[in-house]
Amino acid sequence: MANEPHETAQTRPPWLVELAQVRKTYWSGEVTQVVLDGLLLTISSGELVVLLGPSGSGKTTLLNLLGGLDVPDSGSIRSCGVELTSASPRELTRYRARSVGFVFQFYNLLPTLTALENVVAGVAVAGFSRRVAEKRGQAMLARVGLEAAAGKFPAQLSGGEQQRVALARALAKRPVLLLADEPTGNLDQESAASVLDLLAELSRESETTFVVVTHDHEVAAVGSRVIRLADGRIVEEQRR
Amino acid sequence: MILARKAVRDVRAMGLRGILLVLVIGAGVGTAAGIRLALDNVQATRDAFYRDYALADLDVRLRAPVAAGELLARARAADATRAETRLVLPGTVLLPSGERPAAELVGMAPTAELDRLAILAGSPLSKGAPLQVALEEGFARHARLHLGDRLRVRIDARTVALRIRALVRSPEYLLATANPDYLIPLPGSLAPIFLPRSALQDLAGVSGKVNDVVADFPTSASLARRLALARGLAVATVIPRSEQYSLRLTNADIHSFSVFTPVLGGVFAAVGLLLVALSLRRVVHAQRRELGALLALGYGRLAVVATVLLSAAILGVGGALVALSMTLAVGFLVAEEYARTVGFPQVTHGLAYAPFALGAGLALGGTLLAAAFPAASLSRLRPTLAMRGEQMSNFSLPGPLERLTAGSGPAFAYGLRTLLRRPLWSAATALSVASAIALGTALQIVATSTNRSIDAAFAHQGWSATVDLSQPLPLAAAHALARAAGAPAAEPIVKGSARLLAVDGRAVDVQLVGLPSAPALERLDVTAGTGPAEGAAALSEQVASQLSARPGEKLTLVTSSGDLPVRVAGTVHTIAGEAVYLPRPQAASLLGLAGRATEVLVTGGPTVERALSARPEVARVTSKNTAKDGMHELVKELTTLIDVLLAISLAVGGLFLISSLTLSAHDREGELATLRALGYGRRQITIVLGSEAAILTLLAAVLSIPLGIAIAMPLTDAIGRAWFQIGLSAGTGDFALVITLGLALGALATGIAIRNVLRLDLAASVRARLVG
């Protein structure tokens, strides 16, 4: 009996994310498109997982499912201790607020909030006091090199700067899981490289697990694990 | 063709936004057009009835019956094309419920052609059934009397039992009231009873005699010529068609409503169109990139504008259809409620072309115009500039607001800055909701002001009851009558019809009232100059206003007994609309009633009133409380009409707010979905949208107070011209209810917007591009 926890740890590794037989289809008129087809996937804490694949391979759908923005047709998704497929909307909201950080392709900064307020908006919702949220926001903006832009509105920033603010917003609350959808997809080469470097550094510095969706093979180079999807299935997986 | 297809699909893609826009386009102008339609239908119904049932050009009533032949001879001499004599006597109906409403018994030829009866149920009058009468349908409905019922009526000291043979409508009593002095009808207060002339003559013991003649004249006959019919006779009333009570009231109402209409309709139409203009501006700007792309593809400016206009036209046609439905519904609702309130017969709901054309035209035209401006300005941009998106990039709050919201958290700051982001939109929404609330408060203020004016007018008087005499009595007899009934104080007065002429030829038909030299019971509320004196008349404010007469000016009073040049002594605030006050001896002499009184004002309680009611010399006793309660009852009835307008007003205001918040939330779908993705739950989303709605509704509530007073002013002024001068007085209660309802609507609108945000497809919505 005394050995049981050890045995359990050995037989059931501490997966942060566990997907089993996940299936997701979309209907467009009379056409049914299977986007994820019985997907099996586990992700451990601290990994930087890069999801590669052509358009329609199911990358973004997978990211949305991991973030609790969407639900699968069947199968199970357990992430950060929450069974997402059976969670109530309230539990999903709490999961997103406490455990997950998002980085979107088009940054999705709120245009009427300053850079700092955008970051604070991401932290405050996780239950931190305003003072703590501001402190963390300022620190994270400094970390992404935008301390001086704290009072600027998104439209006053370049695309690369906006994406760095978005990264700061996602990480300032120290999420367990960071989900990034084409974080460099909308940036020029120089900005993309800068964001990518930052992503890699932040992944090394923090205990956060990163899942990054991309078309870009240069992004794939920074991942500790690269998963290639095609037709809703994992067709290749590399660990580094 | 491609662009046309794009326009149609753009509208389809708008979904809920499109539906809300169509509703907003139609609601404002449809309400305005509906009120216009109601008035048109009321007027058309009245005019058609007067035409079909031959409302007489002139009605002359004498104080005492004379031979019928004499009146007919006078009518012929005055060039009347048609004349009929009648015997009209006052009476009292003894209802089983104990109520004692006044009656007017009209003895007429069963085959009368003037002021003909419209038989709604039963059979025409017949000489063969002398005690079977026709009863005015409105009174019958009010008193719950039916065909075949027995009707007990007191005429002089006798009580007679009559049988209801027919329920009728008469052009003369289209709106019947016991107190025509006060131009506010009191439904059910007067029972017009029609019976064969010979039967009434027999009942009154005046065989072969009449006291009333109705006549028609050629249109070319002057009023002076027509009035020659009455000259030299002991006339009680001379009522030209233009002064006929129902005509005057509906004219006055239609006149006052014609002031109401632009105020009510104008506010609805203006705020509706403003909101549509700003909504469409948003819609057009949301297509900025697409339109820029079209320009870049080589489409011309006109093609781009045409695409937008085609989309707008589709919305405009939808709005026009809503406007047509609203016109029909509001027109029906307002006309029916008006008819019910004043006791007007069934309104014929015609489909007059003008209000519908107005509603549909404004909806379509306004929508096209609203879309044309932003489309034209966008089409002038260089394609690259157009494709770049909106230029606004700084959303800093003004200093004090920034400090105020410093500790409020991102959800509140975001909500607040959203309003700042579209200042015009926010201002228009607040203004439109404020206008809707203000209309409601204005209508409440009108009702309160009317009630307070009634109270103030009655409180000013020293009498406790008015006693209408069946026949003019010598002053000493009038005093003796009151004394015998136990009245502690009595004041005989004399009243009669007269015409007041200004030097410039303007004329007003008035009620001439002769008061004792120092009236103790009829206390005049002199608002300018002094009270009446020898050769100097005090005019009611309405009369002074109609003739633009000021103290010191010279006027002439004309009656069937002669003319009297008078000077304006002053103006008097009174609820008896068109009255002129003179010292009693002068008034009595001018009315041919020297030394006599037609009415006695008395003090004393119910015992005195009962004793006076039992006297044969008395036609009617009206206590001050009965008169006051009656008028309050009427105002209560009127508030039902006001409530209908209030409900419409709040419904339209609610629609504006719901539409505005929903469109605003829809515009920011990507942002709100991002907040949801960040983990913002119901509570935080409620803070975001709730803070926007709360600020808008609070702003609207604050704005609605001065706006409500501003709207109430022309409305009370309109009532003042139609009925009696009303002092504007507003209480907290007038604002509280409507503002509370407005805030509740704000909460409802927020709830709807929150629900929509919580139902967003997050995975799809977060991919919307937020900042260009």
Side-chain angles (χ1 to χ4, degrees), chain A residues 60 64 93 96-97 102 104 108-113 117 121 125 130 153 155 173 181, chain B residues 393-396 406 414 417 421 671 674 676-681 763 766-767 770:
Chain A
T60 300
N64 289 336
T93 298
R96 286 195 299 268
F102 276 104
F104 301 99
N108 286 35
L109 297 180
L110 300 170
T112 54
L113 297 185
E117 286 168 337
V125 73
R130 184 172 170 74
F153 288 93
K173 67 179 170 189
D181 187 6
Chain B
S393 58
N394 192 331
F395 302 96
S396 298
Y414 172 68
R417 285 188 196 150
R421 185 177 181 178
E671 293 169 29
T674 301
R676 296 271 291 122
L678 291 178
Y680 280 66
V766 288
R767 297 183 72 79
L770 305 189

mmCIF file of all heavy atoms in Angstrom, chain A residues 60 64 93 96-97 102 104 108-113 117 121 125 130 153 155 173 181, chain B residues 393-396 406 414 417 421 671 674 676-681 763 766-767 770:
data_model
loop_
_atom_site.group_PDB
_atom_site.id
_atom_site.type_symbol
_atom_site.label_atom_id
_atom_site.label_comp_id
_atom_site.label_asym_id
_atom_site.label_seq_id
_atom_site.Cartn_x
_atom_site.Cartn_y
_atom_site.Cartn_z
ATOM 1 N N THR A 60 -5.842 24.914 -35.339
ATOM 2 C CA THR A 60 -6.539 25.951 -34.567
ATOM 3 C C THR A 60 -7.705 25.358 -33.792
ATOM 4 O O THR A 60 -7.970 25.755 -32.647
ATOM 5 C CB THR A 60 -6.999 27.076 -35.503
ATOM 6 O OG1 THR A 60 -5.845 27.630 -36.126
ATOM 7 C CG2 THR A 60 -7.736 28.164 -34.749
ATOM 8 N N ASN A 64 -8.338 25.750 -29.886
ATOM 9 C CA ASN A 64 -9.603 26.239 -29.313
ATOM 10 C C ASN A 64 -10.167 25.247 -28.302
ATOM 11 O O ASN A 64 -10.726 25.639 -27.266
ATOM 12 C CB ASN A 64 -10.635 26.500 -30.413
ATOM 13 C CG ASN A 64 -10.290 27.722 -31.253
ATOM 14 O OD1 ASN A 64 -9.567 28.609 -30.785
ATOM 15 N ND2 ASN A 64 -10.776 27.772 -32.473
ATOM 16 N N THR A 93 -15.024 29.200 -17.867
ATOM 17 C CA THR A 93 -14.599 30.597 -17.705
ATOM 18 C C THR A 93 -13.490 30.685 -16.659
ATOM 19 O O THR A 93 -12.470 31.348 -16.851
ATOM 20 C CB THR A 93 -15.803 31.467 -17.275
ATOM 21 O OG1 THR A 93 -16.777 31.409 -18.298
ATOM 22 C CG2 THR A 93 -15.399 32.916 -17.049
ATOM 23 N N ARG A 96 -10.236 29.338 -18.016
ATOM 24 C CA ARG A 96 -9.549 30.286 -18.902
ATOM 25 C C ARG A 96 -8.916 31.414 -18.086
ATOM 26 O O ARG A 96 -7.813 31.870 -18.368
ATOM 27 C CB ARG A 96 -10.530 30.885 -19.929
ATOM 28 C CG ARG A 96 -10.925 29.907 -21.027
ATOM 29 C CD ARG A 96 -11.583 30.646 -22.181
ATOM 30 N NE ARG A 96 -12.801 31.335 -21.799
ATOM 31 C CZ ARG A 96 -14.018 30.818 -21.867
ATOM 32 N NH1 ARG A 96 -14.180 29.592 -22.319
ATOM 33 N NH2 ARG A 96 -15.067 31.512 -21.496
ATOM 34 N N ALA A 97 -9.656 31.852 -17.050
ATOM 35 C CA ALA A 97 -9.167 32.981 -16.255
ATOM 36 C C ALA A 97 -7.927 32.609 -15.441
ATOM 37 O O ALA A 97 -6.997 33.388 -15.327
ATOM 38 C CB ALA A 97 -10.277 33.481 -15.333
ATOM 39 N N PHE A 102 -3.838 33.328 -23.637
ATOM 40 C CA PHE A 102 -4.012 33.237 -25.093
ATOM 41 C C PHE A 102 -3.161 34.278 -25.794
ATOM 42 O O PHE A 102 -3.072 35.432 -25.352
ATOM 43 C CB PHE A 102 -5.472 33.536 -25.467
ATOM 44 C CG PHE A 102 -6.378 32.355 -25.356
ATOM 45 C CD1 PHE A 102 -7.254 32.230 -24.288
ATOM 46 C CD2 PHE A 102 -6.384 31.373 -26.339
ATOM 47 C CE1 PHE A 102 -8.115 31.157 -24.181
ATOM 48 C CE2 PHE A 102 -7.244 30.288 -26.236
ATOM 49 C CZ PHE A 102 -8.105 30.180 -25.164
ATOM 50 N N PHE A 104 -3.212 35.633 -29.768
ATOM 51 C CA PHE A 104 -3.929 35.435 -31.023
ATOM 52 C C PHE A 104 -3.115 35.969 -32.206
ATOM 53 O O PHE A 104 -2.264 36.852 -32.041
ATOM 54 C CB PHE A 104 -5.268 36.174 -30.974
ATOM 55 C CG PHE A 104 -6.157 35.724 -29.854
ATOM 56 C CD1 PHE A 104 -6.238 36.449 -28.666
ATOM 57 C CD2 PHE A 104 -6.912 34.572 -29.969
ATOM 58 C CE1 PHE A 104 -7.040 36.036 -27.628
ATOM 59 C CE2 PHE A 104 -7.725 34.152 -28.924
ATOM 60 C CZ PHE A 104 -7.797 34.878 -27.747
ATOM 61 N N ASN A 108 -5.621 40.743 -30.816
ATOM 62 C CA ASN A 108 -6.855 40.899 -30.032
ATOM 63 C C ASN A 108 -6.669 41.763 -28.790
ATOM 64 O O ASN A 108 -7.192 41.452 -27.720
ATOM 65 C CB ASN A 108 -7.444 39.538 -29.640
ATOM 66 C CG ASN A 108 -8.095 38.853 -30.830
ATOM 67 O OD1 ASN A 108 -7.620 38.989 -31.966
ATOM 68 N ND2 ASN A 108 -9.171 38.152 -30.604
ATOM 69 N N LEU A 109 -5.951 42.839 -28.958
ATOM 70 C CA LEU A 109 -5.865 43.795 -27.844
ATOM 71 C C LEU A 109 -7.129 44.643 -27.868
ATOM 72 O O LEU A 109 -7.702 44.891 -28.934
ATOM 73 C CB LEU A 109 -4.637 44.686 -28.009
ATOM 74 C CG LEU A 109 -3.293 43.953 -27.969
ATOM 75 C CD1 LEU A 109 -2.146 44.941 -28.141
ATOM 76 C CD2 LEU A 109 -3.123 43.170 -26.669
ATOM 77 N N LEU A 110 -7.541 45.061 -26.699
ATOM 78 C CA LEU A 110 -8.746 45.890 -26.652
ATOM 79 C C LEU A 110 -8.348 47.328 -27.005
ATOM 80 O O LEU A 110 -7.510 47.929 -26.317
ATOM 81 C CB LEU A 110 -9.379 45.824 -25.260
ATOM 82 C CG LEU A 110 -9.784 44.397 -24.891
ATOM 83 C CD1 LEU A 110 -10.186 44.306 -23.437
ATOM 84 C CD2 LEU A 110 -10.894 43.896 -25.784
ATOM 85 N N PRO A 111 -8.896 47.864 -28.069
ATOM 86 C CA PRO A 111 -8.395 49.136 -28.605
ATOM 87 C C PRO A 111 -8.568 50.321 -27.673
ATOM 88 O O PRO A 111 -7.833 51.295 -27.795
ATOM 89 C CB PRO A 111 -9.200 49.333 -29.885
ATOM 90 C CG PRO A 111 -10.386 48.461 -29.750
ATOM 91 C CD PRO A 111 -9.991 47.322 -28.884
ATOM 92 N N THR A 112 -9.523 50.235 -26.741
ATOM 93 C CA THR A 112 -9.756 51.398 -25.884
ATOM 94 C C THR A 112 -8.971 51.317 -24.571
ATOM 95 O O THR A 112 -9.104 52.193 -23.729
ATOM 96 C CB THR A 112 -11.253 51.555 -25.566
ATOM 97 O OG1 THR A 112 -11.708 50.320 -25.034
ATOM 98 C CG2 THR A 112 -12.043 51.920 -26.786
ATOM 99 N N LEU A 113 -8.204 50.252 -24.409
ATOM 100 C CA LEU A 113 -7.363 50.146 -23.214
ATOM 101 C C LEU A 113 -5.899 50.342 -23.623
ATOM 102 O O LEU A 113 -5.494 49.914 -24.710
ATOM 103 C CB LEU A 113 -7.541 48.780 -22.547
ATOM 104 C CG LEU A 113 -8.935 48.450 -22.004
ATOM 105 C CD1 LEU A 113 -8.906 47.104 -21.274
ATOM 106 C CD2 LEU A 113 -9.452 49.527 -21.066
ATOM 107 N N GLU A 117 -3.078 48.634 -19.459
ATOM 108 C CA GLU A 117 -4.435 48.215 -19.064
ATOM 109 C C GLU A 117 -4.810 46.890 -19.723
ATOM 110 O O GLU A 117 -5.508 46.062 -19.127
ATOM 111 C CB GLU A 117 -5.442 49.305 -19.445
ATOM 112 C CG GLU A 117 -5.369 50.517 -18.531
ATOM 113 C CD GLU A 117 -6.159 51.712 -19.065
ATOM 114 O OE1 GLU A 117 -6.397 51.779 -20.287
ATOM 115 O OE2 GLU A 117 -6.505 52.579 -18.259
ATOM 116 N N ALA A 121 -5.826 43.804 -17.613
ATOM 117 C CA ALA A 121 -7.121 43.141 -17.862
ATOM 118 C C ALA A 121 -6.956 41.627 -17.842
ATOM 119 O O ALA A 121 -7.846 40.898 -17.390
ATOM 120 C CB ALA A 121 -7.692 43.589 -19.199
ATOM 121 N N VAL A 125 -8.404 39.403 -14.044
ATOM 122 C CA VAL A 125 -9.487 38.421 -14.143
ATOM 123 C C VAL A 125 -9.113 37.100 -13.465
ATOM 124 O O VAL A 125 -9.977 36.300 -13.109
ATOM 125 C CB VAL A 125 -9.868 38.208 -15.636
ATOM 126 C CG1 VAL A 125 -8.808 37.402 -16.363
ATOM 127 C CG2 VAL A 125 -11.221 37.545 -15.757
ATOM 128 N N ARG A 130 -5.900 44.616 -7.799
ATOM 129 C CA ARG A 130 -5.524 45.588 -8.829
ATOM 130 C C ARG A 130 -4.049 45.983 -8.691
ATOM 131 O O ARG A 130 -3.343 46.141 -9.690
ATOM 132 C CB ARG A 130 -6.429 46.817 -8.714
ATOM 133 C CG ARG A 130 -6.177 47.818 -9.804
ATOM 134 C CD ARG A 130 -7.204 48.929 -9.797
ATOM 135 N NE ARG A 130 -6.778 49.977 -10.700
ATOM 136 C CZ ARG A 130 -6.820 49.893 -12.023
ATOM 137 N NH1 ARG A 130 -7.270 48.797 -12.604
ATOM 138 N NH2 ARG A 130 -6.400 50.890 -12.771
ATOM 139 N N PHE A 153 -2.079 53.425 -26.648
ATOM 140 C CA PHE A 153 -3.202 52.594 -27.071
ATOM 141 C C PHE A 153 -2.738 51.688 -28.212
ATOM 142 O O PHE A 153 -1.783 52.038 -28.933
ATOM 143 C CB PHE A 153 -4.378 53.469 -27.498
ATOM 144 C CG PHE A 153 -5.054 54.141 -26.338
ATOM 145 C CD1 PHE A 153 -4.684 55.410 -25.932
ATOM 146 C CD2 PHE A 153 -6.035 53.470 -25.631
ATOM 147 C CE1 PHE A 153 -5.293 56.010 -24.846
ATOM 148 C CE2 PHE A 153 -6.648 54.060 -24.532
ATOM 149 C CZ PHE A 153 -6.279 55.334 -24.139
ATOM 150 N N ALA A 155 -3.598 51.070 -31.208
ATOM 151 C CA ALA A 155 -3.466 51.629 -32.554
ATOM 152 C C ALA A 155 -2.218 52.509 -32.679
ATOM 153 O O ALA A 155 -1.824 52.855 -33.794
ATOM 154 C CB ALA A 155 -4.702 52.432 -32.915
ATOM 155 N N LYS A 173 -0.175 36.793 -15.842
ATOM 156 C CA LYS A 173 -0.902 36.117 -14.748
ATOM 157 C C LYS A 173 -0.253 34.766 -14.410
ATOM 158 O O LYS A 173 -0.750 34.048 -13.566
ATOM 159 C CB LYS A 173 -2.374 35.944 -15.124
ATOM 160 C CG LYS A 173 -2.654 35.008 -16.265
ATOM 161 C CD LYS A 173 -4.165 34.919 -16.491
ATOM 162 C CE LYS A 173 -4.469 34.173 -17.775
ATOM 163 N NZ LYS A 173 -5.879 34.267 -18.122
ATOM 164 N N ASP A 181 -1.858 31.191 -31.194
ATOM 165 C CA ASP A 181 -2.342 30.837 -32.527
ATOM 166 C C ASP A 181 -1.643 31.715 -33.564
ATOM 167 O O ASP A 181 -1.937 32.918 -33.642
ATOM 168 C CB ASP A 181 -3.872 31.059 -32.564
ATOM 169 C CG ASP A 181 -4.474 30.546 -33.856
ATOM 170 O OD1 ASP A 181 -3.749 29.928 -34.656
ATOM 171 O OD2 ASP A 181 -5.685 30.772 -34.060
ATOM 172 N N SER B 393 -7.269 56.522 -32.472
ATOM 173 C CA SER B 393 -6.324 55.648 -31.793
ATOM 174 C C SER B 393 -6.151 56.013 -30.325
ATOM 175 O O SER B 393 -5.608 55.255 -29.554
ATOM 176 C CB SER B 393 -4.969 55.715 -32.500
ATOM 177 O OG SER B 393 -4.524 57.054 -32.506
ATOM 178 N N ASN B 394 -6.612 57.190 -29.938
ATOM 179 C CA ASN B 394 -6.423 57.615 -28.561
ATOM 180 C C ASN B 394 -7.768 57.668 -27.851
ATOM 181 O O ASN B 394 -8.681 58.360 -28.294
ATOM 182 C CB ASN B 394 -5.767 59.002 -28.551
ATOM 183 C CG ASN B 394 -5.282 59.355 -27.169
ATOM 184 O OD1 ASN B 394 -5.843 58.906 -26.183
ATOM 185 N ND2 ASN B 394 -4.232 60.154 -27.095
ATOM 186 N N PHE B 395 -7.873 56.929 -26.778
ATOM 187 C CA PHE B 395 -9.152 56.877 -26.068
ATOM 188 C C PHE B 395 -9.008 57.378 -24.635
ATOM 189 O O PHE B 395 -9.743 56.957 -23.747
ATOM 190 C CB PHE B 395 -9.691 55.443 -26.067
ATOM 191 C CG PHE B 395 -9.879 54.899 -27.444
ATOM 192 C CD1 PHE B 395 -8.906 54.128 -28.043
ATOM 193 C CD2 PHE B 395 -11.026 55.176 -28.159
ATOM 194 C CE1 PHE B 395 -9.068 53.629 -29.320
ATOM 195 C CE2 PHE B 395 -11.197 54.686 -29.437
ATOM 196 C CZ PHE B 395 -10.217 53.912 -30.028
ATOM 197 N N SER B 396 -8.020 58.243 -24.418
ATOM 198 C CA SER B 396 -7.819 58.763 -23.062
ATOM 199 C C SER B 396 -9.065 59.503 -22.609
ATOM 200 O O SER B 396 -9.678 60.230 -23.395
ATOM 201 C CB SER B 396 -6.654 59.745 -23.048
ATOM 202 O OG SER B 396 -5.486 59.080 -23.419
ATOM 203 N N ALA B 406 -9.907 55.831 -11.989
ATOM 204 C CA ALA B 406 -8.558 55.288 -11.823
ATOM 205 C C ALA B 406 -8.571 53.934 -11.110
ATOM 206 O O ALA B 406 -7.857 53.026 -11.500
ATOM 207 C CB ALA B 406 -7.696 56.283 -11.057
ATOM 208 N N TYR B 414 -12.991 49.883 -19.721
ATOM 209 C CA TYR B 414 -13.288 49.488 -21.100
ATOM 210 C C TYR B 414 -14.713 49.911 -21.478
ATOM 211 O O TYR B 414 -14.959 50.472 -22.544
ATOM 212 C CB TYR B 414 -13.109 47.975 -21.249
ATOM 213 C CG TYR B 414 -13.565 47.439 -22.576
ATOM 214 C CD1 TYR B 414 -12.874 47.754 -23.742
ATOM 215 C CD2 TYR B 414 -14.693 46.627 -22.685
ATOM 216 C CE1 TYR B 414 -13.296 47.272 -24.978
ATOM 217 C CE2 TYR B 414 -15.118 46.137 -23.902
ATOM 218 C CZ TYR B 414 -14.418 46.469 -25.048
ATOM 219 O OH TYR B 414 -14.848 46.003 -26.263
ATOM 220 N N ARG B 417 -14.836 53.734 -21.843
ATOM 221 C CA ARG B 417 -14.147 54.257 -23.035
ATOM 222 C C ARG B 417 -14.857 53.868 -24.316
ATOM 223 O O ARG B 417 -14.693 54.520 -25.352
ATOM 224 C CB ARG B 417 -12.709 53.769 -23.051
ATOM 225 C CG ARG B 417 -11.883 54.533 -22.035
ATOM 226 C CD ARG B 417 -10.448 54.215 -22.153
ATOM 227 N NE ARG B 417 -9.770 54.668 -20.937
ATOM 228 C CZ ARG B 417 -8.713 54.096 -20.448
ATOM 229 N NH1 ARG B 417 -8.195 53.050 -21.036
ATOM 230 N NH2 ARG B 417 -8.158 54.573 -19.359
ATOM 231 N N ARG B 421 -15.420 56.248 -27.387
ATOM 232 C CA ARG B 421 -14.925 55.840 -28.691
ATOM 233 C C ARG B 421 -15.865 56.299 -29.789
ATOM 234 O O ARG B 421 -15.463 56.590 -30.897
ATOM 235 C CB ARG B 421 -14.884 54.320 -28.639
ATOM 236 C CG ARG B 421 -14.321 53.607 -29.786
ATOM 237 C CD ARG B 421 -14.388 52.168 -29.315
ATOM 238 N NE ARG B 421 -13.883 51.207 -30.231
ATOM 239 C CZ ARG B 421 -13.845 49.901 -29.938
ATOM 240 N NH1 ARG B 421 -14.288 49.488 -28.773
ATOM 241 N NH2 ARG B 421 -13.383 49.060 -30.790
ATOM 242 N N GLU B 671 -13.869 41.905 -29.701
ATOM 243 C CA GLU B 671 -13.317 42.365 -28.418
ATOM 244 C C GLU B 671 -13.975 41.641 -27.245
ATOM 245 O O GLU B 671 -13.295 41.191 -26.315
ATOM 246 C CB GLU B 671 -13.553 43.869 -28.258
ATOM 247 C CG GLU B 671 -12.761 44.703 -29.247
ATOM 248 C CD GLU B 671 -13.208 46.156 -29.237
ATOM 249 O OE1 GLU B 671 -13.673 46.633 -28.200
ATOM 250 O OE2 GLU B 671 -13.078 46.785 -30.287
ATOM 251 N N THR B 674 -12.815 38.223 -27.025
ATOM 252 C CA THR B 674 -11.471 38.170 -26.453
ATOM 253 C C THR B 674 -11.546 38.224 -24.929
ATOM 254 O O THR B 674 -10.867 37.469 -24.219
ATOM 255 C CB THR B 674 -10.625 39.349 -26.973
ATOM 256 O OG1 THR B 674 -10.568 39.252 -28.394
ATOM 257 C CG2 THR B 674 -9.219 39.321 -26.406
ATOM 258 N N ARG B 676 -13.976 37.266 -23.145
ATOM 259 C CA ARG B 676 -14.474 35.959 -22.691
ATOM 260 C C ARG B 676 -13.348 34.928 -22.732
ATOM 261 O O ARG B 676 -13.197 34.106 -21.836
ATOM 262 C CB ARG B 676 -15.629 35.493 -23.590
ATOM 263 C CG ARG B 676 -16.858 36.377 -23.527
ATOM 264 C CD ARG B 676 -17.833 35.962 -22.449
ATOM 265 N NE ARG B 676 -18.464 34.698 -22.772
ATOM 266 C CZ ARG B 676 -18.400 33.626 -21.992
ATOM 267 N NH1 ARG B 676 -17.748 33.682 -20.866
ATOM 268 N NH2 ARG B 676 -19.010 32.516 -22.333
ATOM 269 N N ALA B 677 -12.514 35.004 -23.782
ATOM 270 C CA ALA B 677 -11.401 34.053 -23.905
ATOM 271 C C ALA B 677 -10.377 34.267 -22.785
ATOM 272 O O ALA B 677 -9.747 33.321 -22.322
ATOM 273 C CB ALA B 677 -10.734 34.207 -25.263
ATOM 274 N N LEU B 678 -10.260 35.535 -22.350
ATOM 275 C CA LEU B 678 -9.321 35.824 -21.254
ATOM 276 C C LEU B 678 -9.856 35.326 -19.916
ATOM 277 O O LEU B 678 -9.159 35.366 -18.915
ATOM 278 C CB LEU B 678 -9.059 37.324 -21.154
ATOM 279 C CG LEU B 678 -8.266 37.966 -22.295
ATOM 280 C CD1 LEU B 678 -8.136 39.467 -22.055
ATOM 281 C CD2 LEU B 678 -6.883 37.341 -22.395
ATOM 282 N N GLY B 679 -11.097 34.904 -19.899
ATOM 283 C CA GLY B 679 -11.662 34.378 -18.671
ATOM 284 C C GLY B 679 -12.697 35.281 -18.024
ATOM 285 O O GLY B 679 -13.086 35.081 -16.880
ATOM 286 N N TYR B 680 -13.138 36.299 -18.770
ATOM 287 C CA TYR B 680 -14.183 37.175 -18.220
ATOM 288 C C TYR B 680 -15.513 36.431 -18.260
ATOM 289 O O TYR B 680 -15.969 36.012 -19.320
ATOM 290 C CB TYR B 680 -14.277 38.482 -19.018
ATOM 291 C CG TYR B 680 -13.210 39.477 -18.632
ATOM 292 C CD1 TYR B 680 -11.868 39.217 -18.883
ATOM 293 C CD2 TYR B 680 -13.534 40.664 -17.985
ATOM 294 C CE1 TYR B 680 -10.878 40.107 -18.502
ATOM 295 C CE2 TYR B 680 -12.549 41.568 -17.603
ATOM 296 C CZ TYR B 680 -11.225 41.277 -17.864
ATOM 297 O OH TYR B 680 -10.246 42.153 -17.488
ATOM 298 N N GLY B 681 -16.112 36.289 -17.098
ATOM 299 C CA GLY B 681 -17.385 35.576 -16.993
ATOM 300 C C GLY B 681 -18.549 36.540 -16.983
ATOM 301 O O GLY B 681 -18.409 37.725 -17.287
ATOM 302 N N ALA B 763 -14.794 30.582 -30.427
ATOM 303 C CA ALA B 763 -13.739 30.146 -31.334
ATOM 304 C C ALA B 763 -13.769 30.959 -32.628
ATOM 305 O O ALA B 763 -12.729 31.327 -33.172
ATOM 306 C CB ALA B 763 -13.913 28.667 -31.645
ATOM 307 N N VAL B 766 -13.195 35.215 -31.756
ATOM 308 C CA VAL B 766 -11.877 35.742 -31.379
ATOM 309 C C VAL B 766 -10.992 35.957 -32.602
ATOM 310 O O VAL B 766 -9.980 36.650 -32.531
ATOM 311 C CB VAL B 766 -11.102 34.835 -30.382
ATOM 312 C CG1 VAL B 766 -11.706 34.895 -29.019
ATOM 313 C CG2 VAL B 766 -10.985 33.426 -30.910
ATOM 314 N N ARG B 767 -11.359 35.370 -33.726
ATOM 315 C CA ARG B 767 -10.547 35.534 -34.926
ATOM 316 C C ARG B 767 -10.849 36.833 -35.656
ATOM 317 O O ARG B 767 -10.202 37.162 -36.640
ATOM 318 C CB ARG B 767 -10.723 34.335 -35.855
ATOM 319 C CG ARG B 767 -10.232 33.042 -35.211
ATOM 320 C CD ARG B 767 -10.330 31.868 -36.144
ATOM 321 N NE ARG B 767 -9.336 31.933 -37.215
ATOM 322 C CZ ARG B 767 -8.058 31.595 -37.077
ATOM 323 N NH1 ARG B 767 -7.616 31.181 -35.898
ATOM 324 N NH2 ARG B 767 -7.206 31.672 -38.082
ATOM 325 N N LEU B 770 -9.275 43.101 -34.627
ATOM 326 C CA LEU B 770 -9.774 44.205 -33.820
ATOM 327 C C LEU B 770 -9.195 45.558 -34.203
ATOM 328 O O LEU B 770 -9.902 46.537 -34.316
ATOM 329 C CB LEU B 770 -9.481 43.950 -32.325
ATOM 330 C CG LEU B 770 -10.007 42.637 -31.751
ATOM 331 C CD1 LEU B 770 -9.836 42.635 -30.258
ATOM 332 C CD2 LEU B 770 -11.457 42.442 -32.102
#
